[in-house]
Amino acid sequence: MFVLELTYTAPLDRVDAALQDHVAWLERAYAAGHFLASGRKNPRDGGVIIAAGSDRATVEELTADDPFVRAGVCEYRITEFTATKTAPALAEYREQLPS
């Protein structure tokens, strides 16, 4: 699993100009099963996405294709973790620690 932290690198008017395309990109990633949750940070200086079912290379490709990245308005910090405990609704995403 991955935590994808977006940090805006441009003023909000430039972020908002790319927002519609970013939301369409999110919808495609949800439909493909890559993302579990996403939203804006508070204060609004970026966002957070929880991604599952992918390897790091796939996640890096996904984030590089984000319209926010292509517009030069955000950077990503990608943190990989092993989800050994989850809420019952996310049980299918539980992972085992490597031996």
Side-chain angles (χ1 to χ4, degrees), residues 76-89:
Y76 274 90
R77 177 178 176 212
I78 301 171
T79 304
E80 186 172 0
F81 73 101
T82 304
T84 57
K85 191 157 187 69
T86 66

Side-chain angles (χ1 to χ4, degrees), residues 17-79:
L19 185 58
Q20 185 175 359
D21 290 338
H22 172 74
V23 170
W25 170 83
L26 284 169
E27 289 172 356
R28 289 190 302 274
Y30 275 104
H34 296 297
F35 295 165
L36 298 178
S38 61
R40 291 179 178 172
K41 291 193 288 186
N42 185 12
R44 188 181 175 204
D45 60 3
V48 176
I49 301 169
I50 306 298
S54 301
D55 57 39
R56 188 172 189 95
T58 300
V59 170
E60 289 173 352
E61 288 176 17
L62 279 169
T63 59
D65 193 43
D66 182 347
F68 278 175
V69 171
R70 289 186 282 127
V73 301
C74 91
E75 294 177 346
Y76 274 90
R77 177 178 176 212
I78 301 171
T79 304

